[in-house]
Amino acid sequence: MKNSALSSDRKEAREYQTTSSGLFFKAKKVLFEKKSAFQKIEIIENDFYGRVLFLDGLVQTTEKDEFFYHEMLVHPALGCLPHPEKVLIIGGGDGGALREVLKHPVRKAWLVEIDQEVIRACERYFPWLEAALSDPRAELAIADGFDFIQKTSERFEAIIVDSSDPVGPSAILHARDFYSKLKKVLKPGGVIVAQAGSQLLHLKEHGQKARFLKKMFRYSSFYSAPVPTYPVGTWCYTFLSDRVDPLKVKKLRVPGGLKYFNEEIFRASFAQPAFFQQALRSSK
Ligand code: SAM
């Protein structure tokens, strides 16, 4: 939970505050504001971070630092797979994850986003989304990710869960039931990666997740990386597979032109600080 909100007392000054990290985003211009059926969508222009997307007051993406998050969400999974043909992205309406997936020689990538209004707004203000969606390998489904996986007859080599925090429509995407259904649409040998939250602020949730995930998957690890505008700055992801042990991957496939991800970063990202290891141990 990023616990951020447009602080009402500062509304006139148009400062968007991330209370848990203390970050303020001063809006040079408010580009978009709309309440959709699912959430409040806001896009502002900030001097330093460029365009910033908020959903229900929580920062999701900024032009300046989105590459940390999107590269670390996508390339660890796809880089480990020799032939990732079919890839499913759940959430991810800002399009950054889809853009990164399409850097791999995949045959097809589905973007399953619940909120058509997020897609409309991001197509207008984050041009990489329109470019990614016009790739013939991309298919957009406006649907609840949970319903989609229950109905689809497709099976995927890689599944990327680019959900928001576990509140509102995303809450379901963090639950045990969702992961057990997700496993049913994963091909044997496939990999699931999901964004898992702040390394420091969500320790309790990481412990709870780790407990059920390790019963479901032979390999279930957390990895982490910085995202400067997310609370506390270090973000966690889960890597899940029955066949791919990320710590023993010999050949990692890294597309050219990335800004953050490389082989050294991949290997280092599975190292965890003592307080995190301790939290996982004590949740057993
Ligand atoms: N980078 C992000 C973060 O951690 O803040 C995630 C960004 S992405 C914009 C999250 C998207 O997930 C949102 O656009 C939201 O509408 C979508 N979403 C939430 N619940 C969903 C669900 N049940 N099925 C599909 N998409 C969902």
Side-chain angles (χ1 to χ4, degrees), residues 2 39 60 69 94 113-114 144-145 162-163 169-170 195 230:
K2 298 193 191 81
Q39 53 214 339
Q60 306 287 313
Y69 173 80
D94 56 62
E113 162 63 55
I114 202 168
D144 181 324
D162 187 8
S163 62
S170 252
Q195 79 97 346
Y230 285 0

Side-chain angles (χ1 to χ4, degrees), residues 85-156:
E85 293 209 335
K86 294 182 179 183
V87 180
L88 171 64
I89 302 163
I90 295 183
D94 56 62
L98 179 62
R99 180 198 65 210
E100 294 305 313
V101 165
L102 294 171
K103 291 179 181 172
H104 291 262
V106 302
R107 202 147 62 80
K108 194 156 177 194
W110 285 258
L111 180 68
V112 180
E113 162 63 55
I114 202 168
D115 195 341
Q116 172 88 65
E117 297 295 343
V118 172
I119 298 284
R120 284 204 186 109
C122 291
E123 270 183 325
R124 182 152 173 217
Y125 293 105
F126 298 100
W128 62 71
L129 173 60
E130 200 183 355
L133 286 176
S134 62
D135 188 303
R137 298 170 296 162
E139 185 168 319
L140 172 65
I142 299 298
D144 181 324
F146 194 86
D147 289 347
F148 182 91
I149 56 171
Q150 298 204 86
K151 290 181 187 148
T152 186
S153 54
E154 293 288 351
R155 295 295 175 264
F156 308 93

